[in-house]
Amino acid sequence: MMFAFTWSPDTLWVLMQKAWWFLVVLGILVAFHELGHFLAARWVGVKVLKFSLGFGPKIFGRQVGETEYLLSAIPLGGYVKLFGEDETEATTPEDRRRSFAHMGIWGKVLIVAAGPGFNFILAYLIFAGWLSDRKSTRLNSSHSQQSRMPSSA
């Protein structure tokens, strides 16, 4: 006799909800991380070719200026494609000035470190928001308890 394992509909529903929220949180984390790389590259003058949330086939894309913004099918990451990641791309002096490969060491360090740096900023903002919400909840509950206490005259 073989043992057949079946999932109840409630269990499947809970698992699907958890998977959905995992992808939402991961998407926010990845978007903030890639935004760090993107903003740092733009700040130091490197040309950004693509800013993509997700991998694989393109679901939606729009060219704005010199950057193509993409939403791709597999929501488990993202990327920022910079001009000059391959040293052979830059041919003219203007291209070299806007190329990642020809950027100085501190520009490269800033671009690479900005992704994790933005993740730390996001963690700080979430934690600060959580603490401020707890503080306001605690203040509101203590204020409402004081208003219910009889006053001594």
Side-chain angles (χ1 to χ4, degrees):
M1 177 179 215
M2 291 190 60
F3 175 71
F5 185 77
T6 58
W7 297 80
S8 73
D10 290 339
T11 302
L12 288 174
W13 178 248
V14 168
L15 288 174
M16 287 191 323
Q17 284 180 324
K18 292 202 182 288
W20 166 255
W21 285 111
F22 170 76
L23 292 176
V24 168
V25 169
L26 183 66
I28 292 168
L29 187 66
V30 166
F32 219 72
H33 178 93
E34 297 304 333
L35 182 65
H37 293 306
F38 173 80
L39 292 175
R42 298 282 303 260
W43 190 60
V44 298
V46 173
K47 182 178 179 181
V48 179
L49 301 174
K50 289 185 182 183
F51 178 87
S52 178
L53 297 178
F55 294 110
K58 174 173 68 169
I59 294 173
F60 173 78
R62 180 175 207 143
Q63 183 82 26
V64 178
E66 59 192 15
T67 304
E68 183 181 11
Y69 298 90
L70 301 170
L71 181 63
S72 299
I74 304 168
L76 296 176
Y79 65 94
V80 174
K81 181 171 175 47
L82 304 175
F83 177 72
E85 288 178 349
D86 178 12
E87 290 185 25
T88 60
E89 284 181 323
T91 55
T92 67
E94 173 64 22
D95 285 348
R96 278 189 226 102
R97 191 180 66 75
R98 304 221 36 223
S99 167
F100 179 76
H102 295 89
M103 182 60 48
I105 187 71
W106 292 112
K108 289 179 183 178
V109 167
L110 180 67
I111 293 169
V112 171
F118 264 55
N119 285 135
F120 281 111
I121 292 169
L122 179 62
Y124 173 80
L125 292 173
I126 290 169
F127 192 63
W130 177 69
L131 285 177
S132 69
D133 183 54
R134 288 188 56 196
K135 184 178 178 181
S136 67
T137 303
R138 206 177 288 157
L139 287 174
N140 288 339
S141 66
S142 67
H143 176 70
S144 63
Q145 287 174 355
Q146 287 175 355
S147 64
R148 282 186 262 156
M149 297 176 102
S151 61
S152 57

